[in-house]
Amino acid sequence: MARQTPPNSPAAHQAGLDKDAPSLATRPAQGRSTGRQTQAIHGGEQPDPVTGASAPSLIISSTFVAEQVAGFSAHDMSDDPHRHVYARWGNPNVASLEAKIAGMEGVEACLCFASGMAAATGMFLTFLSAGDHCIISDVCYAGVAELARETLPRFGIEVSLVNLSDLDAVDAALRPNTRLIHAESPCNPIMRLCDLRALADRIHACGGLLSCDATFASPLGQDSAGLGVDLILHSITKYIGGHGDALGGAIAGSRALIDRLRMEAAIHHGGILSPFNAWLIGRGAATLPLRMEAHQRGAMAVAQALEAHPSVTKVLYPGLASHPQHALAQRQMQNFSGMMAFQVADAATGQALAERMIERMSIVHYAVSLGHHRSLIFWMPTQTLMDSSFHLEGANLAAYRDFAGDGVFRLSVGLEDPEDIIADLDAALSA
Ligand SMILES: Cc1ncc(COP(=O)(O)O)c(C=O)c1O
């Protein structure tokens, strides 16, 4: 059966049939390379050559009609892993989103997953084997911290949980078999940064890889690839999707690394993104550059208001001069995003404030997750997080408490009018 899409057409490229064509995300527009806003809108997309539709169609078929007799295993497709055969191996909506994210990150390729956690699991299990050692940020998304502590050692992978903002601690942790450093910058929930260029230099000198969870920063917040990150991880549930209605994950990097990841983590582990979620997240991603500007603007206004509030004892926002790593933030980040953390007097005060927030706030939702157009806030007491996820002791616990004290409110500033967000927070903060 003949396909209607000519093999060399843009839509064929979107469908993954034209493997020699330059990536749509990086193809110059009339000889020029395009900017990030243009990448976010047009990356991975072309008008439908059959219907002329300007917006991407949703393609939900789980299988694709073959044009020639081929082997049944994914290994038989290894010369062309982007050709659509079966939806676990690749789908046009997912491929389009992958090209868009790769374009915004300025790298060759990207692979999407069913969630940020699926992306993290797929990455660790693809690039680490029994006998390997990896260094993982001692403070990172709680799910990743638990995976690192509880699951990876069961597969014979040695894990060191290290404060990556302390380069002496990193140097002391490196071993001959260290294959990966996994960073998160800014890290969840305390907004601590790490110097990605310094980490890349260290792990590359040992022949290993640097991965970074850049969910809080978004592709607009830092040039992760330019700083030496090999594997850029995003929970696309957050800023990239931006509307709180679809879970997804992504890892962006070189074609060689992402091809390896696709074969193992997508085709074999199977935690792939659904076409509908790719379509929704791609629609959200088109406005990411504009949303990030607005998130940063709103967050700066909210951070300054909180810093001046008598009930707030500390605000952690990389864009504030008071952030302990503001100089690094200015050097490493181009957008400080909408994420911040703030403290009140102690754990009991925090608990009572969280209860008042649930009762009194009408604009800021008291809920987990982040990066949505709606503002979200959540109370994260230090002791509870230590018991459940981080289990830090000694210098690592002291470094955590330097930032977080007895606990932080993690605030994701949305796109509402900043004065409404401030008034809502104030209603709860005023006892
Ligand atoms: C920084 C960070 N990374 C990864 C994840 C996991 O992403 P998902 O919920 O899409 O699995 C989260 C979730 O909150 C996160 O905040």
Side-chain angles (χ1 to χ4, degrees):
M1 189 187 299
R3 289 179 204 271
Q4 283 186 292
T5 307
N8 292 320
S9 72
H13 182 84
Q14 182 187 339
L17 301 176
D18 180 9
K19 70 183 165 86
D20 296 325
S23 156
L24 286 179
T26 53
R27 180 183 293 171
Q30 294 169 356
R32 289 178 298 106
S33 55
T34 56
R36 286 207 175 172
Q37 269 177 227
T38 308
Q39 300 272 354
I41 294 167
H42 291 282
E45 292 184 16
Q46 290 289 330
D48 187 304
V50 177
T51 64
S54 162
S57 308
L58 176 58
I59 296 169
I60 57 170
S61 185
S62 55
T63 193
F64 297 83
V65 175
E67 289 180 319
Q68 58 192 39
V69 177
F72 188 62
S73 161
H75 288 293
D76 298 320
M77 299 298 295
S78 59
D79 61 329
D80 184 2
H82 312 293
R83 189 172 185 282
H84 296 301
V85 175
Y86 183 57
R88 177 159 39 76
W89 302 13
N91 157 281
N93 296 103
V94 177
S96 164
L97 177 61
E98 289 171 346
K100 204 183 275 302
I101 295 171
M104 288 193 288
E105 287 290 5
V107 294
E108 291 173 334
C110 172
L111 178 67
C112 284
F113 293 84
S115 67
M117 279 308 295
T121 306
M123 181 182 76
F124 290 136
L125 296 187
T126 298
F127 294 106
L128 294 169
S129 302
D132 288 346
H133 172 243
C134 71
I135 295 176
I136 298 186
S137 176
D138 67 337
V139 182
C140 56
Y141 171 58
V144 172
E146 290 165 21
L147 175 75
R149 179 177 291 280
E150 293 161 23
T151 306
L152 297 186
R154 286 201 286 111
F155 292 87
I157 298 163
E158 298 171 44
V159 177
S160 298
L161 296 154
V162 175
N163 173 1
L164 298 186
S165 70
D166 177 351
L167 293 173
D168 292 338
V170 176
D171 288 335
L174 282 165
R175 300 181 194 168
N177 61 336
T178 307
R179 308 306 325 143
L180 182 79
I181 295 181
H182 178 67
E184 188 172 301
S185 193
C187 73
N188 188 353
I190 59 173
M191 304 302 300
R192 192 169 69 196
L193 313 186
C194 52
D195 183 335
L196 293 171
R197 171 45 65 198
L199 293 176
D201 289 346
R202 280 164 171 74
I203 189 67
H204 291 161
C206 305
L209 298 172
L210 175 64
S211 59
C212 178
D213 186 332
T215 299
F216 272 36
S218 92
L220 279 300
Q222 69 200 13
D223 176 12
S224 298
L227 292 164
V229 178
D230 303 290
L231 296 159
I232 308 161
L233 190 151
H234 289 282
S235 165
I236 58 177
T237 314
K238 311 296 180 344
Y239 280 115
I240 293 179
H243 295 78
D245 50 13
L247 250 66
I251 296 184
S254 69
R255 170 74 60 203
L257 290 177
I258 300 303
D259 280 355
R260 208 174 133 194
L261 197 62
R262 184 181 301 277
M263 177 62 76
E264 187 155 345
I267 299 177
H268 290 160
H269 305 170
I272 50 109
L273 187 66
S274 77
F276 183 53
N277 278 18
W279 183 85
L280 276 175
I281 294 169
R283 189 168 64 153
T287 55
L288 182 68
L290 295 173
R291 285 189 284 108
M292 292 314 296
E293 278 176 26
H295 279 298
Q296 173 176 249
R297 211 169 34 250
M300 185 56 92
V302 172
Q304 284 166 346
L306 286 171
E307 209 164 37
H309 200 288
S311 307
V312 174
T313 52
K314 189 188 247 183
V315 180
L316 292 158
Y317 180 61
L320 286 178
S322 59
H323 188 284
Q325 297 161 298
H326 182 58
L328 174 61
Q330 283 181 307
R331 198 167 76 234
Q332 185 167 280
M333 300 184 77
Q334 289 82 50
N335 176 297
F336 300 123
S337 93
M339 293 306 301
M340 70 184 68
F342 68 88
Q343 282 178 43
V344 292
D346 52 29
T349 313
Q351 179 68 27
L353 175 56
E355 285 163 16
R356 284 202 304 282
M357 284 177 171
I358 292 172
E359 275 165 28
R360 297 185 191 172
M361 288 189 314
S362 57
I363 289 175
V364 182
H365 287 182
Y366 188 89
V368 296
S369 204
L370 57 104
H372 307 170
H373 56 331
R374 295 179 194 86
S375 292
L376 303 170
I377 198 163
F378 210 75
W379 165 235
M380 304 207 167
T382 296
Q383 194 55 53
T384 309
L385 262 181
M386 290 305 139
D387 294 344
S388 62
S389 310
F390 295 145
H391 304 275
L392 302 182
E393 291 171 349
N396 294 42
L397 178 58
Y400 185 97
R401 292 190 68 92
D402 270 352
F403 272 68
D406 282 353
V408 288
F409 284 87
R410 187 187 70 184
L411 173 59
S412 171
V413 174
L415 301 176
E416 304 94 340
D417 292 299
E419 50 275 26
D420 292 333
I421 300 171
I422 293 165
D424 215 34
L425 290 168
D426 192 46
L429 280 163
S430 317

